[in-house]
């Protein structure tokens, strides 16, 4: 991928050297998994926040929700609560942004062409992360309908 420096001429992003990678792996190896996971969730949710109202924001949020359901048992209560709170805030912001986008009729470049399908598995039915689609309208709890714009 190319970047455009201050001079305006695109250039290729610098690839890390073998020495850079070795140093990174030496730092990463002893790092607790909880730290790696919290950094990963932070990155996913920040990207989703930047893309609020778009289909790809929903994909990032659903991905974070599925991953969180899988790893929650390995996190401290404090880390799990912090991630869950951030995830729920971004979910609610996405619902509001989808409603605003639906009323404005605007579309954005480089968004997913359609809404992601509802996540499968246990995380899909827990909390407000459930997506739209047939499952969301077939008698599930009210929280599963949060992903339907306009409701």
């Amino acid at each position: 991928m190319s970047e455009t420096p201050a001079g305006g001429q695109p250039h290729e992003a610098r690839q890390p050297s073998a020495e850079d990678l070795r140093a990174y792996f030496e730092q990463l190896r002893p790092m607790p998994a909880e730290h790696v996971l919290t950094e990963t969730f932070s990155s996913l949710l920040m990207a989703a926040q930047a893309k609020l109202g778009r289909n790809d924001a929903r994909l990032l949020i659903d991905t974070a929700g599925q991953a969180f359901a899988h790893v929650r048992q390995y996190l401290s209560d404090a880390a799990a609560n912090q991630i869950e709170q951030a995830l729920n805030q971004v979910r609610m912001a996405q619902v509001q942004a989808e409603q605003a986008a639906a009323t404005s009729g605007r579309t954005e470049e480089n968004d997913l062409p359609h809404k992601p399908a509802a996540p499968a598995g246990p995380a899909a039915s827990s909390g407000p992360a459930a997506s739209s689609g047939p499952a969301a309208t077939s008698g599930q709890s009210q929280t599963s309908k949060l992903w339907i714009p306009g409701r």
Side-chain angles (χ1 to χ4, degrees), residues 34-48:
E34 180 175 87
H35 181 78
V36 176
L37 290 168
T38 56
E39 291 296 318
T40 301
F41 284 112
S42 177
S43 295
L44 273 172
L45 295 177
M46 280 194 298

Side-chain angles (χ1 to χ4, degrees), residues 36-119:
V36 176
L37 290 168
T38 56
E39 291 296 318
T40 301
F41 284 112
S42 177
S43 295
L44 273 172
L45 295 177
M46 280 194 298
Q49 187 174 16
K51 294 174 170 280
L52 286 174
R54 295 169 51 119
N55 294 330
D56 50 2
R58 183 187 295 209
L59 178 63
L60 294 168
I61 294 166
D62 288 348
T63 299
Q66 288 289 102
F68 179 65
H70 180 71
V71 304
R72 183 181 190 137
Q73 65 183 324
Y74 302 105
L75 300 172
S76 67
D77 288 342
N81 290 338
Q82 184 179 15
I83 293 167
E84 185 172 41
Q85 182 179 16
L87 185 57
N88 287 333
Q89 288 173 348
V90 174
R91 284 173 173 152
M92 293 303 295
Q94 174 68 4
V95 169
Q96 293 170 348
E98 283 181 351
Q99 289 172 342
T103 59
S104 74
R106 75 177 194 265
T107 59
E108 292 190 44
E109 187 178 336
N110 295 323
D111 194 7
L112 294 175
H114 54 81
K115 291 185 186 333

